[in-house]
Amino acid sequence: MKIWIACLATVTMMLTPLASADAQQQTPRPTIVLVHGAFAESGSWNGVIERLRADGYTVIAASNPLRGVASDAASVAGVVNAVATPVVLVGHSYGGPVITEAAAHSGNVKALVYVAAFAPDAGESAIELTGKFPGATLGAALAPPVVLPDGTRDLYIQRDKFAHQFAADVPAAQAALMAATQRPVAEAALNEKAVTPSWKTIPSWFIYGSADLNIPPAVQAFMAKRAGSRKTVVVAGASHVVMTSNPKAVAALIEEAAATQ
């Protein structure tokens, strides 16, 4: 009888770890969906993507139309809803309002990561938040608006001011390429008020640079605190494109958000 009980205990101990491993394998690893902001494009995430892929994550760099918060969010939500796994939704700059709204229309978003990004409450716009604390110098760096046939006014950063304003800690040659490939944002998009602050119901993480000239660090600290950020990382000396200049730190925070249950 004692031998039988001992054998049973041994079998139980052997099976328990296997059962746990099976359970872990059945839980799908989240997909990372990255959303660029104004004056940037999907390539701004390349360094982050390389690190996430090396660590085994599936990554999608969604194209952000930069036309308006509601319409851009609908576009991103379409991408997210096509993903079969849970999603960590990451936004840079104006991509912040977009992921905030998109998450409200996607049932599989488990975490939000704001990378030098706006996290608006209902009724707030990017422009309004920018001016909440001093330090933003974007206005003086903008080129005259480009008026499209439908009356939409597109905004660009002047090429000779792009590096200092947007990417001061990026190598000069790379910053020049970023200036040439910058995507314009509709002026109306920056003034469009947010509707659904999904950070109130979905856990959030924040990372930004202490030398950001587009969104003052004080504004980002305010938004992170208001959102109840699970972890806020401030990268000393980093510019607005912290994901380009410090991809390791950004990827690490995204992975931390992805690993949180």
Side-chain angles (χ1 to χ4, degrees), residues 15-62:
L15 290 179
T16 299
L18 292 174
S20 299
D22 289 342
Q24 291 175 358
Q25 290 175 0
Q26 290 172 3
T27 302
R29 202 171 203 188
T31 297
I32 314 299
V33 177
L34 307 169
V35 181
H36 67 81
F39 316 115
E41 42 82 41
S42 294
S44 60
W45 294 109
N46 283 351
V48 174
I49 294 170
E50 288 174 356
R51 286 163 174 78
L52 293 174
R53 282 173 51 83
D55 289 338
Y57 286 94
T58 298
V59 186
I60 300 171

Side-chain angles (χ1 to χ4, degrees), residues 73 76-81 89 101-109 202:
V76 170
V79 174
V80 173
N81 287 327
L89 192 52
E101 186 63 32
H105 304 284
S106 307
N108 56 339
V109 177
I202 300 174

Side-chain angles (χ1 to χ4, degrees), residues 205-216:
W205 284 254
F206 286 71
I207 184 169
Y208 58 90
S210 66
D212 193 327
L213 298 180
N214 273 36
I215 308 176

